[in-house]
Amino acid sequence: MKYSLLDVAAVAPEETPTDALHGAVPLARAAETSGFNRVWYAEHHNMPQIASAATSVVIAHVAAHTEHIRLGAGGVMLPNHSPLVIAEQFGTLAALHPGRIDLGLGRAPGSDQNTMRALRRTPQSADSFPDDVLELQGYLNGETRVHGVNATPGNGSRVPLYILGSSLFGAQLAAALGLPYAFASHFAPAALEAALQRYRAEFRPSEDHPKPYVIAAANVIASPDEQDAHEQHQAALRWRARRFLVRGRDLTDQELDSLLDSPMGYEVKSMMRHTAVGTPEQVQKQLSTFAEHTRADELMLAPASIRREDRLQTVELIPAPTD
């Protein structure tokens, strides 16, 4: 079992995006020391709490300050971009940091409707996602699908591609293309079992991937003190309640806890259904159970604590399993 890290450069209360971005390097270094396989950065737009919008820029910075851990996007929302531009960006990263760069691809906008328009895309942009993946793959594999157009850098770099998803669509596409599949069960767990079953059942072997490869995501909070870990978990739930349920309203922690215990709060709790919380030993046991449940080849762990120092502590406390 491999552990990897999902980082969105979360902006904690009383922090700035600059603070969050500077925190990406220590977190990646901790993952490297703990034996994690890779660190991925997620593309989101117009979200004050997330600073990882320019994934390729963050990857370049972190790669220059780490030694060997793989780095990538988890993911680039491809309908927001030209496949050629993404091939050039990640081809550049692969040229500068050989053997260390991944490219996870999603079709969601990573934003709201107004932001979608600001990105110069429409709801129909996602319809071309399968064709865009193939076009991008062609640039990276040195087999361009656009006559006379090659990615420089990028042409022939064979940057590994991963399909991200939280529904059956991504599972079916990854299976049809013979690509690894990463499921976003850390925030959208509803279709996890069905999607993984569909992916494995329909997988078509490809040159690079003779068999299915599953990455399943889970939230994680570890602390030497069990009570502290559960307090961090409750704070994370309150943060999500503020974000999704009571925008613009200033509620106390007690009021937020009551809201979380209501039917309205069930959805927020459900988003974090797959969360390992507790001491390092308890977290490792919970992650092992989750891995057995999903039969995943790799777990993508999302530190869920609000404070940056707590997220760093979590990564330091849960070293990846060794053979």
Side-chain angles (χ1 to χ4, degrees), residues 264-277:
M264 185 184 298
Y266 172 80
E267 291 300 325
V268 171
K269 287 184 175 179
S270 180
M271 289 172 63
M272 294 188 69
R273 182 189 314 164
H274 297 301
T275 302
V277 183

Side-chain angles (χ1 to χ4, degrees), residues 51 59 323:
I59 292 166
D323 295 333

